[in-house]
Amino acid sequence: MFSDLFHVVQKVEAMLEQRYQVNSSMLTIQDGVDAGQTVKHLHVHLVPRRPNDFAKDEVYRELDRHDKDNRKARLPEDMAAEAREYRKLMYGDALHWTFDC
């Protein structure tokens, strides 16, 4: 199971690095409340990184602040547009979806 998950993670990581023109990424899995998990299912965070984008380890404080921030929820249509962009970058026009997500 985990080998399949990380095979997909590597493919998504390559797409994100190309999309955001970076050559490094941070990958995290937060398992448990004390580790910062905010949803109760397995998921992977992939964060494209640039040189000096955060001071040493500051990224973890920023992510913690971001998760606790009372930020406005993203609109479903914005998330769907982002998913379409990523899907096209991953698969080109080869896939034709019968649903909009």
Side-chain angles (χ1 to χ4, degrees):
M1 176 178 121
F2 286 112
S3 63
D4 292 340
L5 171 65
F6 283 98
H7 179 75
V8 173
V9 166
Q10 286 179 316
K11 289 180 175 281
V12 173
E13 179 182 27
M15 179 274 297
L16 290 173
E17 287 182 0
Q18 179 182 358
R19 164 64 179 86
Y20 294 102
Q21 299 178 3
V22 300
N23 59 16
S24 298
S25 296
M26 183 176 74
L27 179 143
T28 65
I29 296 175
Q30 296 163 307
D31 186 19
V33 174
D34 293 335
Q37 183 179 14
T38 57
V39 294
K40 294 185 187 280
H41 63 262
L42 176 66
H43 62 282
V44 176
H45 296 264
L46 271 170
V47 181
R49 298 291 305 271
R50 291 191 167 79
N52 304 311
D53 55 359
F54 291 96
K56 183 176 176 146
D57 293 334
E58 185 62 30
V59 66
Y60 301 108
R61 285 185 209 90
E62 183 61 26
L63 288 172
D64 187 49
R65 185 191 65 74
H66 179 270
D67 288 344
K68 292 177 182 171
D69 203 357
N70 289 328
R71 61 189 167 110
K72 185 177 177 183
R74 296 177 62 199
L75 297 174
E77 54 268 22
D78 293 339
M79 291 186 286
E82 183 178 45
R84 282 191 299 274
E85 176 189 4
Y86 289 170
R87 200 176 297 121
K88 187 169 185 173
L89 289 169
M90 296 266 316
Y91 304 107
D93 292 321
L95 293 179
H96 299 283
W97 296 86
T98 58
F99 57 92
D100 188 32
C101 71

